Amino acid sequence: MGMMARVLLGGLAWVAASSVLFGAAPQDGPVVGSAEFAASPARPMGWRGDGTGTYPGAHPPMVWSRKVADSAMTGAMCQAKKPGKADDVSGAKALELGIAKDWLILGPYACDDPEKDIEKAFVADEASLSPDENDKAGVLNWKALHTTIDTQSTHYTNEGTCAHYNVDFVYLFGRLENQVGYAHTYLFSPTGGNVQLSIHRDGAAAKMWVNGKPTTLNPKDWDHIHKSTIALEKGWNRLLVKLSCAQGSGPVGQNPWVSKWLFSAYLSAPLPAKYETKNIVWMAKLPGFSASSPAIAGEKIFVTGGTSDLACINKADGRVLWMTTCTPCDAITREEKAGADYVEKIAPLEGEIVRMNEALLKEHNAANDIHGVSAAQQKKVGELTRQKREVEKKLHLALRGLDRKRFVPMNNNEVSGANGTPCTDGQRVYVAMGGGSKGPGAYVIAAYDLEGKRLWSYHESLGAGEHGNHVSPALVDGKLIYAAMTTILAFDAPTGKMAWRYDLPRDAENYVACTFVPTRIGGEGVLITFPSGILRVSDGKMLAKAPKENYFASFSTPIIHKGFLYTDGGVFKKQFQAVQLPASAAEPARVAWTMDQKQWRMEESSGFSIASAVAFDGLYYTVDTMGVLTVIDPAARKTVAMRRMEMYQRANRMVFGFTASPTMAGGFLYIFDNTGSSLILRPGTEFKEAGRNVIENQVASAWQDYKQELFYASPVFEGSTLYLKGGEYLYCIREK
């Protein structure tokens, strides 16, 4: 996803950052053309490869998988059509990630009381129903439905109405009141056995039958999620869901109406699950959730997670080598640490975090089995992590007690305080942690050597937007650049000495994904800054501005390609912009051409991207949060292809389905949704699928149903290897 991000829209979202390294050596940056950085083939790749989302020279695998083994879900399939012979699966599709997408639908039936009438049979002998497409039930017929985003009656991301692959009766029958509908599907299990069934729904009341055995769903289930353990028989099974509504639709939040008569069904293996893998070399347990991408230096990989954790992973085997937690304590002077209050209130908590990291390091390495981790191991890691987060919270609150203005707690960042991707010059790794949510916002910016020794640390409260600050640091011409709200900071990378700071215009509506984009103009390192400036990296001097222009209206990081900065539109300004960079940094950039929303966005979709775009072979590829891929030909200044990709994403009001940036490697376009599922396409104006891959990792949660591990970070490619970071694990993918 975008290199830097600070978001977003009325009460909802977040974005995060991808790796950035412009100029692989601290003191120089190779020049491509006259107006952009890129990594030399002999040097490490930087932000999303060459800075445009392409990894030159990479030849990653096309096929990989991780799927549940030794379970009734292993090899499970689904279809709407009534099976012929008992073992006939010729018309079935794999039940990927347990999502039942194919159904037969019957209805609607008017009812007097939608809650009480759930027990009324609107079709004779409900329990024994075994329908086929077009079978008659009185005056109605069973109709086939394949659930996709396009079979939802509303397409709002702000209220999560496209959160699941729903059977949406409002889409099928209209906005009715006091109605009942039926949905039926056939499930095939090669072995049979217990599975967990989760029904996500909205409506007045619901009932389901599994092979004729009925269960009435409690209307007070948490967040309208019903979960139960069911027994699948070997071979074909019948699942019938009956759902009623009082008011089929109604206003929610900012939306005039959404469907209140829908459900989705997910099946999963009982935990702990065992897995079979293909071309997954290792999995490394992460220190905590974050949306940052990994950074590579030699034989080591660096990842961030949780409130402010940094971990180093051995590239050869996935073993976690060291972990540390960045806190304001790192930047406090020796004299201050000698004070009685610090010694009494802060130092013990600081030491406890160090000890807990040592314990977690051992448990993480014990939980790196690609074939599955025992329930006891999962519980132990989870409990240790929870305890550590509590100690971190106490530490930040205790620091606030010393100086309320200086030490703003860092543990309240929306989603994660470690969403900024680390960067590296091959000798050191640099991180930026913290933020906040609609408040002052505090940050720690630090440098470590590759063995985990802290070289320098800087702490300041710079403020945070409504949904926090999730910015990544950038290495540019020997300086580490970081931005929070309206402040850009530049440090001498090796020493941490402040080189300069620049204050951007204050704008109450400045919910932009990115504050600056590094590039090179006329051989000089510069930052294209919000809203339309050119800032010199060497001394922080603003060289040029374009009055009344804004090149940062999107929620994704703009990319620079062949002398142009391209900006995807955002929620409030959906215009696509092509900004031509000048020949001299003393001249402002100018908007060369634009496209309005109707020219490049699908109407029945979100209309904005969190993922950054990729430019390759004369075409520009961008993916919106609902999975619509748009291909633009910049030379012709027009959209040449547009299509929604059907994958397996799960979303809600706070989480979007597509946040990882599309990436070009080995001559193919790699696209990931937030379940870690991938779609590999041949580049061009036609949608030619070259592969699909699924990574299953079922995560237990006390407050929700079993769910698939979610993935938000952009992939990183190195030679024949793909590194994919999820919310729980870093995956090393390579042909074995």
Side-chain angles (χ1 to χ4, degrees):
M1 68 185 66
M3 178 178 73
M4 294 160 244
R6 176 201 319 151
V7 249
L8 195 65
L9 47 158
L12 109 133
W14 58 270
V15 264
S18 288
S19 175
V20 58
L21 173 59
F22 290 89
Q27 300 301 323
D28 68 339
V31 179
V32 175
S34 61
E36 59 190 295
F37 283 108
S40 163
R43 294 174 174 176
M45 291 291 97
W47 177 67
R48 298 187 57 231
D50 66 356
T52 69
T54 297
Y55 284 80
H59 45 96
M62 301 285 287
V63 177
W64 64 86
S65 66
R66 186 177 191 255
K67 296 188 177 184
V68 170
D70 301 329
S71 164
M73 290 298 298
T74 305
M77 309 184 83
C78 176
Q79 70 181 41
K81 183 178 176 60
K82 185 176 182 178
K85 297 179 180 179
D87 58 350
D88 181 11
V89 295
S90 57
K93 297 178 183 177
L95 199 63
E96 299 286 17
L97 298 177
I99 305 174
K101 289 187 175 183
D102 293 289
W103 299 83
L104 293 174
I105 307 300
L106 185 67
Y109 293 95
C111 64
D112 297 322
D113 186 325
E115 290 193 22
K116 292 181 179 179
D117 287 351
I118 199 68
E119 300 297 341
K120 177 182 176 181
F122 292 86
V123 181
D125 200 8
E126 293 171 319
S128 63
L129 284 173
S130 183
D132 204 352
E133 186 176 5
N134 296 321
D135 279 359
K136 292 190 72 65
V139 298
L140 299 177
N141 294 62
W142 289 91
K143 301 294 185 182
L145 173 72
H146 178 69
T147 62
T148 68
I149 296 299
D150 292 318
T151 62
Q152 312 301 307
S153 59
T154 48
H155 295 79
Y156 306 124
T157 54
N158 203 6
E159 304 304 337
T161 56
C162 288
H164 302 283
Y165 285 91
N166 293 301
V167 173
D168 185 352
F169 290 110
V170 170
Y171 170 83
L172 296 163
F173 304 137
R175 295 165 62 183
L176 305 175
E177 297 181 0
N178 297 332
Q179 300 288 324
V180 172
Y182 290 88
H184 186 282
T185 190
Y186 293 96
L187 306 171
F188 182 85
S189 172
T191 61
N194 288 341
V195 302
Q196 180 183 268
L197 172 64
S198 298
I199 301 289
H200 301 241
R201 64 189 174 85
D202 201 347
K207 192 171 183 177
M208 72 175 187
W209 291 260
V210 178
N211 295 325
K213 297 179 181 179
T215 300
T216 300
L217 278 60
N218 184 353
K220 295 182 180 180
D221 285 332
W222 187 89
D223 200 28
H224 300 289
I225 298 174
H226 169 87
K227 57 182 180 180
S228 61
T229 299
I230 64 171
L232 293 182
E233 298 175 357
K234 181 179 180 180
W236 284 106
N237 297 262
R238 297 176 291 117
L239 172 61
L240 176 68
V241 178
K242 178 183 181 182
L243 183 65
S244 67
C245 73
Q247 186 178 5
S249 63
V252 176
Q254 300 170 345
N255 299 313
W257 69 272
V258 300
S259 175
K260 310 293 288 184
W261 190 21
L262 47 72
F263 80 91
S264 56
Y266 298 85
L267 295 97
S268 58
L271 296 183
K274 295 181 180 179
Y275 299 90
E276 295 175 343
T277 69
K278 183 173 185 179
N279 289 337
I280 296 180
V281 181
W282 50 255
M283 291 166 54
K285 188 75 175 72
L286 298 172
F289 173 84
S290 78
S292 60
S293 293
I296 302 172
E299 298 306 309
K300 295 179 179 180
I301 304 173
F302 299 93
V303 294
T304 59
T307 302
S308 55
D309 292 333
L310 171 66
C312 176
I313 296 170
N314 184 10
K315 194 163 66 174
D317 57 13
R319 185 167 55 91
V320 184
L321 300 175
W322 54 263
M323 292 173 57
T324 190
T325 300
C326 305
T327 74
C329 300
D330 304 337
I332 295 176
T333 65
R334 290 183 179 179
E335 291 75 15
E336 290 176 307
K337 288 188 175 183
D341 282 348
Y342 191 96
V343 171
E344 179 184 347
K345 299 175 182 179
I346 309 300
L349 295 171
E350 190 179 7
E352 184 63 17
I353 290 175
V354 172
R355 289 188 291 273
M356 297 185 85
N357 277 337
E358 293 173 353
L360 275 168
L361 179 67
K362 297 178 182 179
E363 296 305 324
H364 280 195
N365 284 326
N368 282 355
D369 190 347
I370 63 174
H371 300 297
V373 178
S374 71
Q377 285 176 300
Q378 291 185 52
K379 184 177 180 180
K380 189 172 184 179
V381 172
E383 180 58 22
L384 278 173
T385 302
R386 186 195 66 77
Q387 291 175 7
K388 182 191 166 189
R389 298 291 175 252
E390 288 299 315
V391 176
E392 289 177 5
K393 182 178 179 180
K394 291 178 181 178
L395 173 68
H396 288 291
L397 292 176
L399 285 168
R400 185 177 66 176
L402 297 184
D403 188 329
R404 191 176 189 87
K405 185 176 180 180
R406 177 185 176 188
F407 296 113
V408 177
M410 292 171 55
N411 58 287
N412 63 344
N413 197 352
E414 189 166 291
V415 183
S416 169
N419 278 339
T421 293
C423 57
T424 175
D425 54 18
Q427 304 173 53
R428 295 166 288 269
V429 58
Y430 304 89
V431 295
M433 309 284 195
S437 187
K438 199 182 285 188
Y443 304 86
V444 168
I445 306 160
Y448 294 82
D449 69 17
L450 302 190
E451 303 305 317
K453 178 184 177 182
R454 187 175 65 254
L455 303 175
W456 58 264
S457 180
Y458 179 85
H459 170 261
E460 186 176 353
S461 296
L462 297 168
E466 179 181 0
H467 299 281
N469 192 69
H470 312 285
V471 176
S472 291
L475 275 173
V476 187
D477 288 358
K479 291 183 173 59
L480 184 74
I481 312 292
Y482 186 67
M485 293 300 287
T486 57
T487 302
I488 300 179
L489 302 175
F491 302 87
D492 176 67
T495 66
K497 182 180 179 181
M498 180 79 72
W500 51 261
R501 66 190 297 151
Y502 188 88
D503 292 322
L504 295 166
R506 292 191 176 275
D507 184 347
E509 300 301 322
N510 183 15
Y511 295 120
V512 295
C514 154
T515 304
F516 68 87
V517 178
T519 191
R520 191 176 292 283
I521 297 178
E524 187 166 36
V526 299
L527 308 177
I528 309 300
T529 69
F530 171 86
S532 55
I534 298 178
L535 187 73
R536 188 161 56 199
V537 169
S538 61
D539 58 6
K541 181 180 179 180
M542 184 63 70
L543 301 178
K545 295 181 181 179
K548 299 181 181 180
E549 297 288 356
N550 181 6
Y551 308 149
F552 295 86
S554 68
F555 294 133
S556 58
T557 299
I559 65 168
I560 292 177
H561 186 57
K562 294 186 177 179
F564 283 83
L565 179 143
Y566 294 104
T567 303
D568 283 5
V571 170
F572 306 111
K573 186 177 180 181
K574 299 178 183 291
Q575 187 182 64
F576 176 88
Q577 292 188 112
V579 179
Q580 187 167 12
L581 301 183
S584 167
E587 303 172 12
R590 64 179 183 85
V591 178
W593 55 275
T594 64
M595 290 194 297
D596 64 32
Q597 178 183 357
K598 293 183 179 179
Q599 293 176 294
W600 75 292
R601 288 296 196 192
M602 184 176 287
E603 183 177 358
E604 293 295 329
S605 200
S606 64
F608 69 95
S609 300
I610 287 177
S612 287
V614 57
F616 179 77
D617 199 20
L619 295 176
Y620 178 96
Y621 302 84
T622 178
V623 177
D624 76 8
T625 60
M626 285 189 182
V628 173
L629 173 63
T630 300
V631 185
I632 296 172
D633 182 345
R637 300 186 178 186
K638 67 178 184 180
T639 297
V640 292
M642 185 184 296
R643 179 176 175 178
R644 192 190 308 281
M645 298 169 292
E646 183 180 331
M647 295 174 71
Y648 307 103
Q649 73 274 11
R650 302 181 186 184
N652 58 40
R653 193 174 186 271
M654 299 297 292
V655 175
F656 295 128
F658 290 80
T659 60
S661 299
T663 307
M664 198 71 65
F668 292 92
L669 183 64
Y670 286 73
I671 297 172
F672 291 84
D673 69 11
N674 72 352
T675 67
S677 300
S678 69
L679 176 62
I680 304 174
L681 298 174
R682 299 182 186 278
T685 59
E686 298 182 10
F687 289 83
K688 296 182 178 179
E689 189 173 313
R692 283 180 179 263
N693 302 287
V694 171
I695 292 178
E696 292 184 356
N697 189 33
Q698 296 172 14
V699 181
S701 174
W703 57 270
Q704 201 173 341
D705 59 335
Y706 297 160
K707 59 184 183 296
Q708 166 69 10
E709 177 183 9
L710 295 182
F711 294 69
Y712 302 100
S714 299
V716 172
F717 298 85
E718 186 186 43
S720 61
T721 304
L722 159 63
Y723 296 101
L724 184 65
K725 181 171 170 286
E728 302 283 335
Y729 284 89
L730 175 67
Y731 296 78
C732 175
I733 301 170
R734 183 171 57 242
E735 287 191 6
K736 294 184 178 181

